[in-house]
């Protein structure tokens, strides 16, 4: 089964560690998308996507359109 994994970050070292963990854990066919909420050019677009998933803090990881339970806290 191919998974779609989306990672919301702030581009900090802590968030980058989460991205590294995801990248080292996925299968070769899985799709990984990283949204840096501090990306000046895409910030508004990424924020809308994050809001749709209920992301309230970063790093946050979405697997197949579901926010992981560990990422549901508010910080």
């Amino acid at each position: 089964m191919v998974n779609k994994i989306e990672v919301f970050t702030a581009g900090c070292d802590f968030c980058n560690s989460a991205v590294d963990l995801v990248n080292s854990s996925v299968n070769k066919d899985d799709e990984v998308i990283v949204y840096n909420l501090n990306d000046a050019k895409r910030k508004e677009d990424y924020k809308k996507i994050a809001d749709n998933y209920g992301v309230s803090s970063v790093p946050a990881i979405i697997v197949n359109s579901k926010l992981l339970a560990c990422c549901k806290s508010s910080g």
Side-chain angles (χ1 to χ4, degrees), residues 1-3 27 29-30 63-64:
M1 179 171 132
V2 176
N3 294 299
N27 294 315
D29 294 327
D30 290 340
V63 178
N64 297 328

Side-chain angles (χ1 to χ4, degrees), residues 1-3 5 12 22 26 31 40 51 59 65 69 71:
M1 179 171 132
V2 176
N3 294 299
I5 300 100
C12 65
V22 167
V26 297
E31 178 184 11
D51 288 345
S65 301
C71 300

Side-chain angles (χ1 to χ4, degrees), residues 46-62:
Y46 293 167
K47 174 121 176 52
K48 287 178 187 175
I49 297 167
D51 288 345
N52 285 336
Y53 285 126
V55 171
S56 59
S57 63
V58 291
I61 301 170
I62 311 294

